[in-house]
Amino acid sequence: FHVLLWRWCELAVGGDAWMRIETPEEAAERLKAPAPAKEEKVENEEDSEDDAPATYLGPLAEQRLRVLVQTRTPLSLVRRWMRNCTGGVTAEDVQQVQEVEDLRVRLVLQEIVREQLGDAGFEELYAEATAIAERRKQRLSKALGRFSSPNGIVWHVSPAGAVHGLHQDGSRLRDKVEVTPDDKLQIGPFVLDETRSCSCIHWHRTDDHSKAWVWSQDKSLGTRVRLGLAF
């Protein structure tokens, strides 16, 4: 299980409740920090919300569709969201629907959105979403393709930014390349070093540049077949 920098969970037992799960780095820092004195707790009450492992995001209807479909949200909840949503559907939402890997789920989601918007509205947003996806593909161009790393893991980065990794023992990794606000390509705590001109690509850990991934392009048929069978 791979924890991304930001991950959203729906609390099924609690109903309309969503929370953010802290990253391993955040958890480690929180555990290392000394407990505040009793008199400091009142003064730091507002700040403590930022340090909490979970942050209340509001009811289901106030979430964006793109947040819901990033994970395996039950389709019944998506339909409920469609009936009660307060913000409507945007091109970014449709673009995220296009990135859903499960073909059956993706087609059902597209049909749910089409029913909500009507044919003309859906086609307009679909065209905008396709343009967004193309711009994203161009931005990710340096990181796209199939690669292998010295530890034996083979990788595939899709035009949508989905990252699939396969260990030699068959265990699988899933992640996603994100474009940060300062226009860097990032996988979890690793940022792509775009200053290098060699055929390999280098991912440096943001908090420790001595730790890095080095990926070599791998166009072999064997790697393509292995990744295709695993995912």
Side-chain angles (χ1 to χ4, degrees):
F1 180 78
H2 228 31
V3 179
L4 303 180
L5 184 60
W6 298 99
R7 178 79 70 168
W8 308 101
C9 270
E10 193 267 349
L11 301 179
V13 177
D16 290 339
W18 290 77
M19 72 177 200
R20 177 178 69 83
I21 298 178
E22 65 183 347
T23 66
E25 291 79 8
E26 291 172 332
E29 289 299 321
R30 179 171 56 83
L31 292 174
K32 288 190 296 184
K38 183 177 295 186
E39 59 271 15
E40 294 178 348
K41 290 184 179 179
V42 176
E43 297 177 4
N44 296 334
E45 186 173 353
E46 295 183 359
D47 295 337
S48 64
E49 294 184 1
D50 296 332
D51 299 328
T55 301
Y56 178 63
L57 299 178
L60 174 68
E62 294 179 5
Q63 310 309 312
R64 304 303 314 177
L65 177 61
R66 56 182 174 271
V67 173
L68 301 187
V69 301
Q70 284 178 2
T71 57
R72 295 180 181 272
T73 304
L75 293 174
S76 59
L77 281 181
V78 177
R79 290 191 174 93
R80 177 150 61 111
W81 179 88
M82 282 291 183
R83 292 194 298 269
N84 302 293
C85 66
T86 58
V89 180
T90 66
E92 289 77 11
D93 295 327
V94 175
Q95 190 254 337
Q96 187 65 49
V97 169
Q98 289 178 308
E99 294 182 6
V100 173
E101 293 184 10
D102 188 311
L103 176 60
R104 184 190 68 83
V105 174
R106 183 167 70 248
L107 292 176
V108 172
L109 288 171
Q110 288 178 348
E111 191 58 30
I112 292 174
V113 176
R114 185 185 291 274
E115 291 174 1
Q116 179 80 1
L117 301 176
D119 289 341
F122 176 80
E123 293 301 333
E124 180 180 353
L125 287 188
Y126 190 88
E128 292 181 34
T130 301
I132 293 173
E134 184 59 31
R135 291 195 297 270
R136 179 180 177 84
K137 179 181 177 181
Q138 292 297 325
R139 180 64 189 91
L140 300 180
S141 59
K142 291 185 178 180
L144 300 182
R146 294 174 179 82
F147 306 89
S148 59
S149 52
N151 58 2
I153 302 177
V154 290
W155 305 87
H156 177 229
V157 182
S158 73
V163 179
H164 291 163
L166 183 63
H167 284 274
Q168 290 179 316
D169 62 4
S171 56
R172 296 175 295 178
L173 301 170
R174 292 178 185 268
D175 214 316
K176 187 173 183 179
V177 179
E178 301 286 355
V179 181
T180 65
D182 55 351
D183 199 37
K184 294 181 180 179
L185 303 185
Q186 182 168 338
I187 301 177
F190 291 87
V191 172
L192 181 64
D193 183 354
E194 300 185 71
T195 63
R196 295 176 179 265
S197 58
C198 61
S199 59
C200 299
I201 61 175
H202 298 251
W203 300 88
H204 292 288
R205 193 176 175 100
T206 53
D207 56 353
D208 186 353
H209 275 223
S210 65
K211 298 179 180 178
W213 291 340
V214 180
W215 292 2
S216 303
Q217 283 191 342
D218 189 341
K219 298 181 179 180
S220 66
L221 178 60
T223 292
R224 182 187 292 266
V225 171
R226 285 180 61 202
L227 287 166
L229 293 175
F231 296 96

